[in-house]
Amino acid sequence: MLPAGEITRFTYAGQERFIDTNENNLPDAGDIFEGVVSINQIRGATSGVDFSSQLADKEITSHFRFSLTGNSADFSHLEFGLLPGDSFNLYVGQGSSKNFDPSAPDAYDRASDGQLWLGIQPGVFFESVNDRQPDGTTLNRAWLDIAVNNTGYLLASDLLRTLLGKDAQHSIGSHTHNDHSVQVIFDDRVARLPSPYPQFTFSNFGEFNVFPVSEPATWLLILIGMGAAVSVSTSRAYL
């Protein structure tokens, strides 16, 4: 269950691995970031209504992989894309598949052995940048659409970052971009470097935002009801 009619904020914690494909010890184009996250809170972004009690008997986890597609000369700005083999899929685990453990050798498998809930895969809109902040920390921001939606809700495309009062201005290459109308945004920061788990490079935390509206089934019932009402009204007109 999600707080339909307002933006839903999922907060998460995770672990991430830097795969230095050209082995130059620098985050540059062609490198890969892969990791796992676990949702720890579900809350209405405006109302503050908390739906997190559902996580007592189920989990929402992700196994993700992004490709680094560009960087500034000083590496203070990184750009990511979804290339073949990349994804940011979220899964719901219950029963035996509620088993997430980032310290386990099979952490990737545990994060993806539930039912696919949301699929963000190559072919959809995806724009992600990581920028060094004035305090020396980094902030990763992303705008993206969904390839697979098994949530039971329609997820609206909107200027989510603007609606939440977040800074939307960013750059891709030499071009400055503002907000994008998309189904999902997320913000991500490094929590700890190095990670406490040897298979990962660092720990992270962040939030994932979507705007669920009425369930498709609800809309279908409304349309059926409207059709029935029109039919009855037309029938009476001819009596």
Side-chain angles (χ1 to χ4, degrees):
M1 295 292 295
L2 303 178
E6 66 173 314
I7 295 174
T8 298
R9 176 174 296 150
F10 300 89
T11 58
Y12 63 81
Q15 306 296 322
E16 199 159 346
R17 176 186 172 213
F18 170 54
I19 303 173
D20 187 12
T21 57
N22 59 9
E23 300 182 347
N24 64 354
N25 296 314
L26 296 171
D28 51 11
D31 291 339
I32 293 167
F33 285 81
E34 184 174 20
V36 295
V37 301
S38 177
I39 302 296
N40 52 47
Q41 187 180 73
I42 307 171
R43 187 181 291 271
T46 303
S47 67
V49 176
D50 196 334
F51 284 66
S52 306
S53 60
Q54 301 170 91
L55 300 176
D57 61 354
K58 60 179 65 71
E59 64 184 16
I60 302 176
T61 54
S62 174
H63 174 195
F64 66 87
R65 172 186 161 117
F66 303 135
S67 292
L68 213 164
T69 56
N71 57 274
S72 62
D74 64 355
F75 305 99
S76 65
H77 172 79
L78 307 177
E79 300 171 5
F80 297 91
L82 281 179
L83 302 184
D86 294 343
S87 66
F88 186 17
N89 294 327
L90 283 86
Y91 302 86
V92 174
Q94 301 182 75
S96 61
S97 61
K98 185 180 183 299
N99 59 0
F100 181 70
D101 181 357
S103 69
D106 61 346
Y108 289 125
D109 292 335
R110 288 171 179 254
S112 56
D113 64 355
Q115 178 183 353
L116 180 61
W117 193 61
L118 276 182
I120 299 160
Q121 299 159 3
V124 301
F125 180 84
F126 181 91
E127 196 163 280
S128 177
V129 294
N130 190 306
D131 292 296
R132 189 176 300 150
Q133 303 300 294
D135 63 0
T137 63
T138 60
L139 172 63
N140 191 89
R141 294 175 295 162
W143 294 256
L144 45 143
D145 282 328
I146 294 167
V148 179
N149 180 5
N150 293 324
T151 66
Y153 294 84
L154 295 173
L155 300 178
S157 291
D158 213 326
L159 300 173
L160 300 179
R161 200 168 293 278
T162 300
L163 291 173
L164 291 171
K166 294 175 175 286
D167 179 22
Q169 192 172 79
H170 60 289
S171 62
I172 298 292
S174 59
H175 300 284
T176 299
H177 293 206
N178 289 305
D179 210 357
H180 299 292
S181 183
V182 292
Q183 294 173 294
V184 181
I185 61 170
F186 71 78
D187 291 23
D188 189 278
R189 296 178 183 268
V190 173
R192 178 176 173 178
L193 180 67
S195 168
Y197 310 118
Q199 68 267 44
F200 297 106
T201 309
F202 59 90
S203 304
N204 61 358
F205 69 96
E207 63 178 54
F208 180 95
N209 293 278
V210 299
F211 196 163
V213 293
S214 299
E215 299 178 12
T218 301
W219 280 108
L220 181 60
L221 289 173
I222 290 172
L223 291 173
I224 291 173
M226 290 174 63
V230 170
S231 176
V232 170
S233 177
T234 303
S235 298
R236 286 178 177 174
Y238 285 95
L239 291 176

